Amino acid sequence: MSHIVTIHTLVKDATALAAACQRLGLPASTTGKALLFTTQRQGTIVNLPGWQYPVVFDLQVGECLYDNYNGQWGDPRKLDQLMQAYAVEKAKLEARRQGYAVTEQALQDGSIKLTVQVGGAT
C-alpha cells in the first residue's frame, strides 16, 4: 500500500542537520553565537555557499533564523536544499530507528522519493 506524505519541517535534530550538511558537502555545523547583520543569535550555525551571513537553528523550538536580505546576501535555493536534505535525513533516521528499510530516489523535478518498508534497515 502506498501513502503520500507532506512534511512541514522544524529543525530539531542535530544529528539529522549534521547529516544534511555532509550530504550537501557543507562545512560541519557548529554551536555558538553568530552575527546576522546587526543581530547576534545563539544556536546551531550552518554556513551556506555564497551567503554573507550564516543560518542559525534554534533546535529547542525548531526555528530557522537568517538574514539574506531578500536574496541579495544569499540564494534562497541554498536554504531550500538544506531544508530538503534535513527532511530526508530526519525521515531516514526515524524510519531506521523503528526498524524499517529505506530507499531513496532523486526525481527529475528535484524532489526526493523515499520508500519505507517494514522489515529491516538497509
Side-chain angles (χ1 to χ4, degrees):
M1 176 178 265
S2 175
H3 298 282
I4 303 297
V5 177
T6 300
I7 299 174
H8 298 278
T9 308
L10 295 176
V11 178
K12 292 186 164 190
D13 186 318
T15 301
L17 183 57
C21 289
Q22 182 176 3
R23 175 189 189 99
L24 296 175
L26 300 175
S29 59
T30 59
T31 302
K33 292 181 182 178
L35 185 64
L36 303 179
F37 189 55
T38 61
T39 305
Q40 199 170 60
R41 296 295 183 158
Q42 175 80 30
T44 302
I45 301 163
V46 174
N47 290 292
L48 295 175
W51 279 50
Q52 188 164 345
Y53 297 101
V55 177
V56 180
F57 293 95
D58 181 340
L59 300 180
Q60 296 297 313
V61 295
E63 192 172 56
C64 174
L65 307 163
Y66 63 93
D67 187 350
N68 72 343
Y69 195 51
N70 293 320
Q72 302 281 330
W73 295 340
D75 184 348
R77 292 177 293 187
K78 297 295 182 186
L79 180 57
D80 292 344
Q81 290 171 343
L82 177 61
M83 296 301 284
Q84 179 189 46
Y86 173 83
V88 166
E89 294 299 331
K90 180 63 175 168
K92 287 169 43 178
L93 281 170
E94 290 303 319
R96 287 182 176 140
R97 204 172 276 147
Q98 294 179 37
Y100 301 140
V102 181
T103 57
E104 179 179 332
Q105 178 184 3
L107 303 179
Q108 285 187 334
D109 66 359
S111 62
I112 299 169
K113 177 183 175 181
L114 292 180
T115 303
V116 179
Q117 294 180 325
V118 177
T122 60

